[in-house]
């Protein structure tokens, strides 16, 4: 009974606000700072790049292993022009692996753009990255019909992201009634158009030249020194232990 009486008494005191108030001494408020503001520009760029690389890797690894299995199955035809596709089973593995590989550059560009501009950058990045894989997606005819490749897709991702940020800034003064159509109409329409024109007239041609130059340079080392070629390839892979330069 005494416990029940004390409980009722405490409830009545709390209803009357007649309860003791305890205050702490020397309480200091800690300011919580957003980590993003502390990151320097290089760190931001690195973060965007690695977001694209990390999403790209499953396509590279899955597709690459399937292609490697195709070469293993078709080992007796090594050295032939159709190596990996002569055996019908090997051809199936190589075809599926090739399809996976085809997504590599569009995914890279899309997720770089998405890291910069959030979801609206995704579609624009995909288009820019896909155009980087096409040998004729340029106003200027490139050497040997080379595509812009990895470097072109990388640039396409950053350009796509910042184009969307620019569109967000330009359209922020539009009436709030239009907020619903911005991510579904305004951003993809104008973003894809702008990035597509930049890829077609500005980006693809110079990066196709660079890509072709690097590829031909590495291939020419086969006739110079296998040891030198191995050293350069090993250095390219080991320079940042799997980071963006390696990729």
């Amino acid at each position: 009974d005494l416990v029940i009486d004390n409980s009722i008494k405490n409830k009545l005191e709390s209803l009357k606000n007649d309860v003791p108030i305890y205050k702490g001494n020397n309480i200091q408020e800690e300011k919580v700072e957003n980590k993003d503001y502390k990151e320097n520009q290089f760190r931001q760029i690195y973060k965007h790049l690695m977001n694209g690389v990390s999403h790209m890797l499953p396509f590279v690894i899955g597709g690459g292993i399937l292609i490697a299995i195709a070469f293993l199955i078709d080992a007796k035809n090594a050295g032939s022009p159709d190596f990996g596709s002569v055996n019908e089973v090997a051809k199936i593995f190589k075809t599926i692996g090739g399809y996976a590989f085809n997504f590599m550059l569009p995914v890279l560009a899309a997720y770089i753009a998405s890291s910069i501009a959030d979801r609206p950058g995704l579609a624009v990045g995909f288009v820019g990255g896909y155009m980087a894989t096409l040998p004729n997606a340029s106003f200027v005819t490139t050497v040997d019909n080379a595509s812009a490749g990895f470097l072109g897709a990388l640039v396409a991702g950053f350009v796509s992201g910042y184009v969307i940020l620019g569109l967000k800034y330009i359209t922020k003064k539009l009436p709030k009634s239009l907020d619903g159509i911005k991510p579904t109409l305004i951003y993809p329409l104008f973003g894809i158009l702008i990035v597509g024109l930049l890829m077609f007239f500005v980006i693809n041609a110079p990066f196709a030249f660079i890509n072709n130059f690097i590829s031909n340079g590495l291939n020419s080392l086969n006739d110079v020194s296998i040891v030198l070629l191995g050293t350069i390839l090993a250095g390219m892979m080991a320079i940042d232990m799997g980071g963006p330069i390696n990729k």
Side-chain angles (χ1 to χ4, degrees), residues 131 134-142 199-206 208:
M131 290 184 70
L134 303 176
N136 297 315
S138 175
F139 178 72
V140 180
T141 302
T142 56
M199 294 297 294
F200 192 72
F201 287 100
V202 179
I203 297 173
N204 268 354

Side-chain angles (χ1 to χ4, degrees), residues 152-163:
L154 189 150
V155 172
F158 280 99
V159 170
S160 299
Y162 288 115
V163 163

Side-chain angles (χ1 to χ4, degrees), residues 84-157:
S85 301
V86 178
N87 183 290
E88 288 299 319
V89 176
K91 185 177 181 179
I92 293 172
F93 276 88
K94 190 176 180 182
T95 301
I96 296 173
Y99 289 152
F101 249 71
N102 290 339
F103 284 102
M104 180 176 71
L105 298 186
V107 168
L108 170 71
Y111 281 95
I112 289 175
S114 175
S115 178
I116 295 171
D118 209 0
R119 190 176 298 177
L122 203 60
V124 182
F126 263 115
V127 174
Y130 179 69
M131 290 184 70
T133 69
L134 303 176
N136 297 315
S138 175
F139 178 72
V140 180
T141 302
T142 56
V143 180
D144 297 331
N145 287 326
S147 65
F150 180 88
L151 294 176
L154 189 150
V155 172

Side-chain angles (χ1 to χ4, degrees), residues 227-242:
V227 175
L228 178 60
L229 175 62
T231 302
I232 291 175
L233 292 176
M236 291 167 64
M237 289 186 284
I239 188 169
D240 60 347
M241 301 303 290

Side-chain angles (χ1 to χ4, degrees), residues 210-220:
I210 294 171
N211 195 38
N212 188 66
F213 177 78
I214 293 174
S215 297
N216 289 340
L218 291 173
N219 287 328
S220 66

